[in-house]
Amino acid sequence: MKMSCSNCNETLSEDEVRWAFDEPYCDECFDHRYTHCTNCDSVISNDYARYNRNDEAYCDECFCEEDDPDCPDNPDVDEVDREHIINLSRNWLKGEIETKRPIYINNKDYLLKSIREKVGLVEDPIYVFGLKDKDEHLISASPNLIEDIQEIIPFYLPCVKVLEGYGINRLGISHSLRKSNLKEVVDLIKALTSIKVPA
Amino acid sequence: MFTIGCDPELICHRNGRFVPASDYFKANSSFGLDGCEVTAEIRPGYSESPVDLTAKIFQILEYGHEKAPDLEFYAGHYVNDYAIGGHTHFSVSPASEVISALDVVLGSLSDCIDPRDQRLKRERTGYGKRGAYRTKGYGFEYRTPGSFLLCPSVTLVHLTLAKLAVVGVKEDGLNFVELKKRQRSVYFLKNLKHFLHTIPDDCREGLKELDILLNKKLDWNQDILPNWGFERAA
């Protein structure tokens, strides 16, 4: 039985036909418009195909199944990362282990990025995150940090209210503090991360 | 200036025994899987700077370690009967003199620091041959090196020499085949900084570390994580 290509009308024998969404195509038109998912082999339009780093095509569903959205993608590097990697590298050559490293932050918050860079490398890194607030000057500290924070906070941010949070080695800073008291916040984190805190 | 990138591979162990990477990681993520699925592949992205690219690799390794804290990772050329590579990416076209420069410069580094037995085994599988590259949309992928993730220093030096080989050809018009001739690889690398007229600032650290690295005896049969500052899970 003879058919014709849905795009160029070329006459095709049954063996020559390639099907996409119930329409017959010649080889050339099919390849121009469609491809196959590497995982499930379904036909996908080139316009909707998603490609992995090896240029392999996936349908949307399979691509999302095979991806880990939390894994950093071409992550940003700042001055403190450069300093850290060079220290790590030099110390390894000397047979030593580099123990200082940058604090952990939620990378989506630009104010936290600036705090991370200004704090630099510390002995006992903690996780610093942003607290959602309106105008309040607030800090939240995980139970293992709360005593130390209460002891040192009068020296850096005397009028700030400290709340007990959850988890381990977590420090939440309100937006108003991150914005208006950057230097004090940085000094506070430097002081806190130089104290040996039991986990 | 051009960018460099890479997708070095790792073999996973748990309690000292081989485990397939596909049990822990998803194929398309930046701590992902090689095509054969048993091998992990690190995709840090790209940068002009070898220091920055090494720092990106650190971040991806850190994520992988957090996700699977009981895994150990092994680099090299051939581990647990699997050939593992350290493909290195360049956003320039693969001119023959660039590929030759990479063969000479990175080949010399491999002669000095890589595990010879592993390298031979990998070559016997058909991978890791000199001059192996693939043209890509961004430029090309140089496929000869083994996985260089043993430690940050080996990674930084590898990426620095990769960049300098291309800079040497493109900026300084050097012919590395002629420069090396019959010199032993270690002497060639010790003299490399004297051949180069253009040394970008971001290559100075790697060049300094090269001199120290050439005097070290490396043990490739070890979990790479402690070398990158990650503590083993208790």
Side-chain angles (χ1 to χ4, degrees), chain A residues 72-90:
Chain A
D73 186 20
N74 197 21
D76 290 336
V77 169
D78 62 19
E79 209 41 62
V80 71
D81 293 310
R82 290 183 195 107
E83 189 189 348
H84 174 232
I85 207 72
I86 288 172
N87 286 354
L88 199 61
S89 194
R90 285 179 185 173

Side-chain angles (χ1 to χ4, degrees), chain B residues 57-82:
Chain B
I57 289 171
F58 175 88
Q59 292 187 44
I60 310 286
L61 280 175
E62 182 174 49
Y63 178 83
H65 176 52
E66 275 172 14
K67 190 167 180 190
D70 52 348
L71 289 189
E72 303 126 38
F73 297 111
Y74 286 75
H77 284 253
Y78 197 85
V79 181
N80 291 106
D81 292 335
Y82 290 103

Side-chain angles (χ1 to χ4, degrees), chain A residues 70-164:
Chain A
D70 296 329
C71 200
D73 186 20
N74 197 21
D76 290 336
V77 169
D78 62 19
E79 209 41 62
V80 71
D81 293 310
R82 290 183 195 107
E83 189 189 348
H84 174 232
I85 207 72
I86 288 172
N87 286 354
L88 199 61
S89 194
R90 285 179 185 173
N91 282 338
W92 182 84
L93 285 170
K94 285 192 262 178
E96 294 168 7
I97 295 169
E98 167 65 23
T99 52
K100 286 187 175 181
R101 55 150 303 142
I103 59 167
Y104 304 95
I105 57 158
N106 173 359
N107 273 312
K108 286 171 190 157
D109 185 318
Y110 74 97
L111 290 167
L112 289 176
K113 279 188 186 176
S114 169
I115 289 171
R116 179 182 183 270
E117 195 163 357
K118 286 185 165 60
V119 168
L121 301 177
V122 297
E123 282 290 351
D124 296 296
I126 55 172
Y127 176 70
V128 178
F129 59 98
L131 284 176
K132 283 178 188 165
D133 69 320
K134 289 185 179 132
D135 298 313
E136 275 186 293
H137 277 24
L138 273 179
I139 279 185
S140 149
S142 57
N144 70 315
L145 298 179
I146 197 98
E147 252 181 53
D148 291 315
I149 275 284
Q150 275 163 345
E151 201 175 306
I152 61 176
I153 206 151
F155 301 106
Y156 301 99
L157 294 159
C159 303
V160 169
K161 196 172 157 189
V162 179
L163 304 174
E164 184 165 325

Side-chain angles (χ1 to χ4, degrees), chain B residues 15-67:
Chain B
N15 298 326
R17 290 179 175 231
F18 168 81
V19 285
S22 53
D23 288 357
Y24 299 86
F25 304 106
K26 294 203 169 184
N28 293 336
S29 82
S30 50
F31 200 116
L33 306 177
D34 172 46
C36 79
E37 301 239 323
V38 294
T39 310
E41 189 171 271
I42 307 285
R43 296 146 182 158
Y46 55 89
S47 171
E48 285 182 10
S49 156
V51 176
D52 285 14
L53 190 55
T54 309
K56 285 170 189 266
I57 289 171
F58 175 88
Q59 292 187 44
I60 310 286
L61 280 175
E62 182 174 49
Y63 178 83
H65 176 52
E66 275 172 14
K67 190 167 180 190

